[in-house]
Amino acid sequence: MDAYMVTFQEHGDERGMLVALEYEKECPFPIKRVYYMYDTKEKVRRGYHAHRNLQQLLICVNGSCKIHLDDGEETKEIILDTPQKGLYLGNGIWREMYDFTPGTVLMSLASELYDETDYIRDYQQFIEEKKKNL
Ligand code: TYD
């Protein structure tokens, strides 16, 4: 599965902590878009899509959530619970985000601008596209 965790260098002192994300250091792709999810209601499961051509780095900058990943061959459950770590996601990974604790802010750095035609929002369609691309 083209997904892995990245641990960021923390710049901390007695005042508190800071993490910096730069292209080719912490983030392997040039960042074209940043968005963040917050105020996600209890028991909500969101996502339910894959992207045909989009790399992302997901960072839970506050709180915690879980992410279910599926590349058509294997599945993984990831917990994001620290701003010091990010989850890199390559193309063609179905994702569902859930168990958001109150106050969670899930930020996404993305390699492309928002494009609805890049989304696969139907799971069966996702599986069919993955089979064709194997
Ligand atoms: P949506 O894809 O449903 O979020 P998720 O599946 O992660 O819960 O996006 C919610 C809304 O926000 C939808 O109307 C599309 C819009 N949106 C943008 O306008 N730009 C963006 O970069 C993203 C990610 C979503």
Side-chain angles (χ1 to χ4, degrees):
M1 186 180 293
D2 189 17
Y4 54 85
M5 294 299 297
V6 186
T7 301
F8 308 128
Q9 188 189 343
E10 283 184 313
H11 305 273
D13 58 29
E14 62 286 350
R15 298 168 302 162
M17 307 306 288
L18 185 151
V19 163
L21 305 175
E22 286 189 22
Y23 169 47
E24 283 183 333
K25 290 185 184 163
E26 295 76 13
C27 185
F29 53 83
I31 300 156
K32 284 197 185 166
R33 173 167 59 113
V34 176
Y35 63 90
Y36 41 92
M37 281 161 257
Y38 59 99
D39 208 13
T40 302
K41 307 302 178 206
E42 233 180 295
K43 295 190 179 145
V44 165
R45 202 169 167 103
R46 59 192 305 174
Y48 291 99
H49 63 254
H51 290 279
R52 296 184 176 95
N53 175 39
L54 184 73
Q55 298 176 78
Q56 283 175 284
L57 191 58
L58 296 178
I59 302 134
C60 203
V61 292
N62 191 53
S64 69
C65 68
K66 295 179 185 155
I67 308 188
H68 168 80
L69 302 176
D70 180 344
D71 69 354
E73 291 200 332
E74 60 169 324
T75 64
K76 275 186 185 170
E77 306 299 318
I78 306 282
I79 299 176
L80 288 183
D81 60 0
T82 167
Q84 204 203 341
K85 287 184 181 174
L87 171 64
Y88 169 84
L89 295 179
N91 298 330
I93 300 178
W94 183 268
R95 81 286 308 270
E96 297 169 19
M97 290 83 91
Y98 60 102
D99 279 1
F100 287 78
T101 55
T104 292
V105 181
L106 180 60
M107 182 171 72
S108 170
L109 313 185
S111 65
E112 304 297 333
L113 301 180
Y114 178 68
D115 174 8
E116 187 56 41
T117 66
D118 186 60
Y119 280 71
I120 310 171
R121 292 191 182 273
D122 180 88
Y123 186 74
Q124 282 315 315
Q125 169 82 20
F126 164 69
I127 293 297
E128 275 162 37
E129 289 199 24
K130 291 297 279 190
K131 276 187 205 152
K132 279 183 206 157
N133 295 331
L134 282 178

